[in-house]
Amino acid sequence: MPKHLKEDAIAQYNRDGYYYPVRILDEEQVAYNRGLLERFETDQGQPIGGAQRNKSHLIFRWVDDLMRNDRILDSVEDLIGPDLLCWNTLFWIKEAGSQSFVSWHQDLRYWGLDANDLVTVWLALSPASLKSGCMRVLPGSHKEELMPHQDEYKTDNLLTRGQEISVDVDESIAVDMPLLAGEASLHNGRLAHASQANLSNDRRIGLSLHYIPTHAKQVVGEWDSAALVRGEDRYGHFSLAPRPSKDLDPATASFHEKATGAVRDVLFKDAEKTRPTL
Ligand SMILES: O=C(O)CCC(=O)C(=O)O
């Protein structure tokens, strides 16, 4: 028996590589989590950015808590089984009226992970609508060979290398995944996806959480980390991430630095230039 998703949702995910929407947080929980993020940004005098966007569960206790949310983990378990690691938690924020976009790409082309079944949960902490630049996906693309990509480094591209699929993408079959605040979409790490500018008058705040089964491996970097969020790790392929006891816990700060550095090295491997986005 599935724990949270319906059988037809699981079948759709397996066939098309995505499923949405899944309700994760209620209105009050959204306001609480968004409030914590925005209070932190006010205190530091600027939006969250750089390495703070990545492996953010190591510096924010509330992100660690979201990463272990039962509705999320039950949904992921329905797709890839009970022994689960979370490899990364990553903020995707497009300010109101900003031109920020994400070009068509496939994540597993860049992450050095031997994990074809990686599940990305993209959780909306504000409305992700057609107007605010919700995610779009190419159904079924997770079943094909990974497509060739090229680094374009366009200024408003939120991706590290501005990587773009370099063959024609048939946008006529693309599916938009609009979400209300508190809802999530699920997609396979091989699925081609993209998003457009935020033409709304609110920030579009997304948190993506990347889950892998414990047998997955990092095959490009020499060292990598992940958080054991459910079940048992019988493989030991990743250094297991500690939990911060509070936001900006000094006890996990150096692990965060090392862990984001390791991800950066993998993401920029063989790239012509690096960018201060991580
Ligand atoms: O937030 C977006 O628009 C894109 C997110 C993305 O590329 C991802 O979660 O892998």
Side-chain angles (χ1 to χ4, degrees):
M1 273 289 283
K3 289 197 152 169
H4 191 60
L5 298 178
K6 300 244 163 47
E7 296 285 0
D8 56 350
I10 297 172
Q12 190 210 306
Y13 180 91
N14 288 332
R15 184 186 64 236
D16 298 333
Y18 70 93
Y19 180 77
Y20 82 100
V22 183
R23 170 59 61 183
I24 306 295
L25 304 175
D26 64 25
E27 227 171 272
E28 202 178 310
Q29 292 165 324
V30 169
Y32 173 75
N33 286 289
R34 180 173 178 169
L36 289 172
L37 168 69
E38 294 189 331
R39 210 160 315 132
F40 170 78
E41 293 179 311
T42 304
D43 288 348
Q44 76 166 2
Q46 58 183 2
I48 191 171
Q52 291 171 340
R53 276 182 66 214
N54 267 274
K55 301 248 183 199
S56 41
H57 56 281
L58 288 165
I59 45 176
F60 301 114
R61 173 64 192 211
W62 59 275
V63 177
D64 181 283
D65 289 340
L66 282 176
M67 178 178 80
R68 297 167 200 275
N69 175 291
D70 276 333
R71 285 190 188 171
I72 293 182
L73 295 185
D74 286 349
S75 305
V76 177
E77 179 172 342
D78 287 342
L79 300 174
I80 58 171
D83 294 325
L84 297 173
L85 297 169
C86 184
W87 178 66
N88 201 2
T89 51
L90 179 55
F91 280 100
W92 297 93
I93 300 181
K94 295 177 185 168
E95 298 300 337
S98 89
Q99 289 303 312
S100 296
F101 74 101
V102 172
S103 49
W104 285 105
H105 69 287
Q106 292 168 296
D107 293 322
L108 285 175
R109 167 73 186 71
Y110 289 91
W111 292 352
L113 295 171
D114 173 9
N116 283 338
D117 43 2
L118 180 147
V119 178
T120 291
V121 176
W122 196 101
L123 174 64
L125 290 179
S126 68
S129 60
L130 294 188
K131 194 165 182 189
S132 70
C134 64
M135 280 228 288
R136 327 183 63 204
V137 294
L138 278 192
S141 49
H142 65 306
K143 290 197 170 154
E144 317 277 324
E145 286 291 300
L146 289 174
M147 290 180 244
H149 288 62
Q150 196 164 311
D151 298 344
E152 296 288 351
Y153 299 98
K154 287 184 188 146
T155 319
D156 291 314
N157 195 337
L158 293 179
L159 297 178
T160 42
R161 308 160 63 143
Q163 58 267 39
E164 291 185 24
I165 290 175
S166 54
V167 291
D168 278 348
V169 167
D170 181 3
E171 299 216 23
S172 70
I173 60 159
V175 173
D176 292 305
M177 299 200 293
L179 298 171
L180 301 173
E183 291 179 339
S185 57
L186 312 170
H187 71 267
N188 177 286
R190 297 175 62 89
L191 194 75
H193 56 287
S195 69
Q196 293 171 334
N198 178 5
L199 305 179
S200 79
N201 54 14
D202 190 9
R203 315 173 82 192
R204 194 217 66 166
I205 307 173
L207 174 67
S208 65
L209 307 107
H210 309 295
Y211 295 94
I212 47 180
T214 49
H215 61 74
K217 283 187 189 146
Q218 170 57 253
V219 291
V220 172
E222 279 173 18
W223 179 91
D224 203 352
S225 70
L228 181 63
V229 289
R230 185 167 275 184
E232 205 185 327
D233 178 9
R234 285 184 295 257
Y235 298 89
H237 292 157
F238 292 84
S239 278
L240 296 183
R243 294 187 78 172
S245 61
K246 56 180 182 188
D247 289 354
L248 306 180
D249 185 348
T252 51
S254 59
F255 195 94
H256 177 252
E257 201 179 321
K258 181 174 178 190
T260 51
V263 173
R264 184 175 50 234
D265 290 347
V266 169
L267 289 180
F268 284 112
K269 188 164 177 356
D270 302 327
E272 208 174 287
K273 33 185 176 168
T274 57
R275 294 210 295 195
T277 46
L278 185 70

